[in-house]
Every structure is written in C-alpha cells, then in structure tokens.
Amino acid sequence: MSVNIIVTDSYEASCGEAANQLLSVIKDNPQACLGLATGGTAQGVYPYLVEAYKQQVVSYTEIRTVNLDEYIGLKPDHPQSYRHYMDTYFFDHIDINPLNTYIPSGSQLLQPEITNFSRILEIWPRDVQLLGIGVNGHIGFNEPGGVLQAGVHIATLDTATIQANARFFASEDEVPKTAITMGVGDILQAGKIVLLATGSQKAVVLKKLLTGEEVTTQVPCTLLKLHRDVTVILDRELAWQVGVSST
C-alpha cells in the first residue's frame, strides 16, 4: 500500500493543495483527462482551478473531464444536479470545450447511459481522479455492502448518504434515492487518485483507510489501498482525530 498523506492547516488550505495536485497533472500534460467530483467538500477546490485559468497559469482548451456520478431523476438544469454544479462552479468560468466534458445523465434511459458512461471511461482514461469521501466510507456512490460493483452501475443510496446530502435539498424526502456512478474498479483505473477530506464525521472511516490493514467492501474507501498512487489531503484537526501525521 502506498498512500501519501498531506496534512494542512485548514480545509481551505486542503482545497488549495488538492487543486495544486490537479494543476500539476495539467502542466505535465495539457491534454490530460481529469476525473472530477462534486459535493460540499470538493466545491472548495474549483475556485483555485478557475483562478489558475484567470491568472493564465493553465489553459483547459485541450483538457477532458469525466465526473464520478449523477443523481437519477434530476434533469441537467436542476439546481442540485451535478451538471448544474459543474457548470456553476467550474466550466462556465474557464476555456474548456463543453464537448470535452462528460457528466453521466440521470434523466436518460438508464441502460444506454450505463453503456455510454462505460465507453467514455474506456476512450478517455483518467490521468487523475479527484475524490471526496462519505461518512460511511463511500467513494463515488459506491455504498457499503457485501459486494461492490467494479463498473458503472445504478446505486441505491445509503441512509447515511441521504441524510448527509439532505442539506442541499428542501427536505430529506427530496434527496434522490438512486444514482449512476463509476464502480470501484473504474475509480482504481485512474493514473493518480487525490482524496480530499474534512469534518470529524469522516474520522472513523479515514482511520480504516489510513491506519488499518483491512480492505473491506463494508468500508469502500479501504479499496484505495489497492491503488499504486493515492494522495489523501486532510486538515490538521481531522488528522489529529484520525491519528496520522504528514509523511
């Protein structure tokens, strides 16, 4: 197992460091493919990526992007869809070609969309994958269970995930109960993985990833131990709770 741990002074500093990891990939390869994440934790990364474009540090004209997942039942223009999220926080502010961005659709026929998503992952291999982590250890929408899917699939959201995401909706009842997501095998195919985490509620599952030896489908993030190049970025307060220091 090779997990590099970066400890920062704050969540904001962690977001800057995660952005730097992605920007380093882009500087090395201006035609790189980025695997991108959404959610509350990842949101803080995008202003840094936008600012790098505004300061002419990088151009995204030849960059391709693939997102991890999307809720089932939300049209792309829904305020809580991940397409809307990515346009709002990133794509609308940079010089990327919209045809070079892929976010799975949650409003199309599901089986054709699974096939399309799987094909995109084959023809656009990701140089780096940005990840968040759920309170139950999920990555993407790969929820804890007896088995996990390797490839693209429709996931039923765990109760803990629905409760955590309810803050983005008017009520918990409005949170979609299913999503289309990369499988764990898809995530592990990225050349490099950057996982960003904050919040004391993530400490238990991060401890299993960073200090335990077990790999289990009951804590999906532990499967990242099977990857050759994983960087985990967390703030000092969370690192103290997990019991790790920078390496």
Side-chain angles (χ1 to χ4, degrees):
M1 182 182 83
S2 177
V3 177
N4 179 39
I5 302 169
I6 298 177
V7 178
T8 70
D9 289 332
S10 65
Y11 161 68
E12 183 175 348
S14 291
C15 291
E17 179 57 39
N20 286 339
Q21 296 279 327
L22 270 62
L23 291 169
S24 177
V25 171
I26 294 169
K27 290 172 185 176
D28 286 343
N29 178 11
Q31 296 179 323
C33 181
L34 313 179
L36 298 178
T38 53
T41 301
Q43 185 176 324
V45 176
Y46 294 109
Y48 289 96
L49 298 179
V50 171
E51 186 63 21
Y53 161 69
K54 290 181 177 179
Q55 296 297 325
Q56 299 183 334
V57 174
V58 294
S59 170
Y60 298 97
T61 54
E62 296 184 88
I63 293 295
R64 292 164 294 161
T65 68
V66 183
N67 268 69
L68 280 165
D69 42 36
E70 177 61 283
Y71 288 121
I72 298 299
L74 299 189
K75 293 182 178 180
D77 60 355
H78 188 285
Q80 296 305 327
S81 79
Y82 291 150
R83 165 56 71 178
H84 186 271
Y85 174 112
M86 293 304 305
D87 288 342
T88 300
Y89 296 116
F90 191 33
F91 298 149
D92 286 351
H93 309 285
I94 59 173
D95 59 346
I96 198 164
N97 181 346
L99 296 177
N100 286 342
T101 69
Y102 178 78
I103 301 171
S105 172
S107 60
Q108 302 292 330
L109 293 175
L110 298 184
Q111 191 53 55
E113 190 62 18
I114 290 172
T115 300
N116 188 43
F117 195 177
S118 300
R119 178 177 174 274
I120 289 291
L121 292 173
E122 288 181 4
I123 64 175
W124 289 4
R126 286 148 294 132
D127 296 275
V128 61
Q129 177 68 57
L130 177 65
L131 291 179
I133 185 171
V135 295
N136 59 6
H138 77 218
I139 47 176
F141 276 126
N142 294 280
E143 304 282 22
V147 296
L148 293 176
Q149 299 295 316
V152 175
H153 62 283
I154 305 302
T156 298
L157 274 57
D158 190 81
T159 300
T161 300
I162 293 171
Q163 291 173 344
N165 289 355
R167 69 189 189 277
F168 300 115
F169 293 83
S171 70
E172 187 175 313
D173 290 340
E174 291 190 12
V175 182
K177 305 304 185 287
T178 55
I180 183 170
T181 184
M182 289 186 198
V184 174
D186 296 322
I187 291 171
L188 293 176
Q189 285 178 356
K192 175 181 178 63
I193 292 173
V194 177
L195 188 151
L196 174 65
T198 191
S200 60
Q201 70 274 26
K202 310 288 181 66
V204 172
V205 291
L206 282 169
K207 186 180 287 288
K208 293 181 183 296
L209 169 61
L210 298 176
T211 68
E213 293 298 325
E214 188 177 57
V215 173
T216 171
T217 58
Q218 296 297 336
V219 186
C221 67
T222 61
L223 275 79
L224 295 177
K225 297 176 187 180
L226 305 178
H227 196 274
R228 65 187 178 278
D229 186 358
V230 177
T231 297
V232 176
I233 305 169
L234 62 168
D235 49 79
R236 202 168 303 283
E237 180 179 355
L238 180 54
W240 178 83
Q241 293 170 326
V242 174
V244 298
S245 58
S246 58
T247 58

